[in-house]
Amino acid sequence: MTGHSPQPALRWGILATGGIAAAFAADLRTAGLDLAAVGSRSQDSADAFAARFDIPRAHGSYEALATDPEVDIIYVATPHPMHHADARLALENGKHVLIEKALTLNRAEAEDLAALGREKGLLVMEAMWTRYLPHMVRLREILAAGTLGEIRAVSADHTQSLPTDPAHRLNALELGGGALLDLGIYPISFVVAVLGIPLTVQASARLAETGADAEVATVMTHEGGAISTTLSSSRAAGPNTAVVLGSTARVEIDRVWYAPTVFRVVSADGTVLEEFDGRTEGRGMQFEALAAERFVADGSLDSDALPLAESVAIMGLLDGIRAQIGVRYPNENV
């Protein structure tokens, strides 16, 4: 339990039992949070997951999880095209939701969830866990202090060598496959965190045999004239580093920049002004869960690190990138 909350800690339910759900469950256990229930489309899968993570209740349907009176908040861990319907199910049954990134398939779905959350008085939060990690919290402090001077440019990559099987989730357009929603969301969200939503976007991509994007690069301009570049790939492993270039100093974030790691603040003359070690126990997903509990406890029902309106705007940004590179998901309901 968090101990300092003005109300009891939230009772968590996990919707789906795949790899990301397992990572989240492990980090919830690391943080000592109340993991109350899991829901799967099959009772066997729910039972196995519950046994693995010592979860008291296992539901053989998402509906059963959503209607469980012993659950306050649901972590939605299904593939991208299911986020909207699954989060809607939870919200309609009075549960707060933490939705695995990318928030939805597109902006229209994101706006619908935001409206439903407002109507119900519930937290709708994108599980962009990187924003809540200790090194990112410290980076925001450094930016706010003006340590780097005028921010001139930001660059980040998220490049991995992942399965090329056409049926794999990452390559199947009907499952929201492609580098953009799984990998590109990280550097793009990072750029927005530092520089805001861009004024202009130029995107290029290389498509896989299935029509999903295997590589995506962006060049964007931002208010004040700053430039950002991002590169994502599902077919080649790269450095996975990031840099924020300011007129008086820069921040160099080590591999893997979007996970708990180390960064340095380096002045224009090469002097290291600060080294911050943000490595932590587990994958680091517990920080977003603790934040979600805080936003419910303080009544804000919105994130200070990634407001829902910004998540919605980022989905719109991804829509625009997909329009440029010619990628459309077959099951988009808009």
Side-chain angles (χ1 to χ4, degrees), residues 6 32 71 95 117 155 161-163 176 183 187-188 200 204 219 225 250 262 284 287-288 310-311:
V71 170
K95 313 301 188 195
S155 183
S161 182
L162 298 172
L183 309 179
I188 288 168
T200 67
S204 297
V219 178
R250 67 184 181 271
V262 175
F287 295 103
E288 64 180 356
E310 189 170 304
S311 288

Side-chain angles (χ1 to χ4, degrees), residues 107-163:
R107 181 171 182 139
E109 291 183 352
E111 286 175 338
D112 180 66
L113 292 181
L116 183 58
R118 284 193 300 271
E119 176 191 323
K120 298 280 190 182
L122 294 166
L123 176 72
V124 177
M125 177 175 154
E126 183 180 14
M128 176 45 75
W129 56 289
T130 299
R131 292 256 186 143
Y132 303 91
L133 295 174
H135 71 293
M136 289 299 175
V137 174
R138 177 64 189 135
L139 175 59
R140 287 195 292 273
E141 293 170 354
I142 289 166
L143 292 169
T147 305
L148 308 185
E150 180 196 4
I151 306 302
R152 305 288 301 179
V154 176
S155 183
D157 79 303
H158 189 175
T159 45
Q160 298 188 40
S161 182
L162 298 172

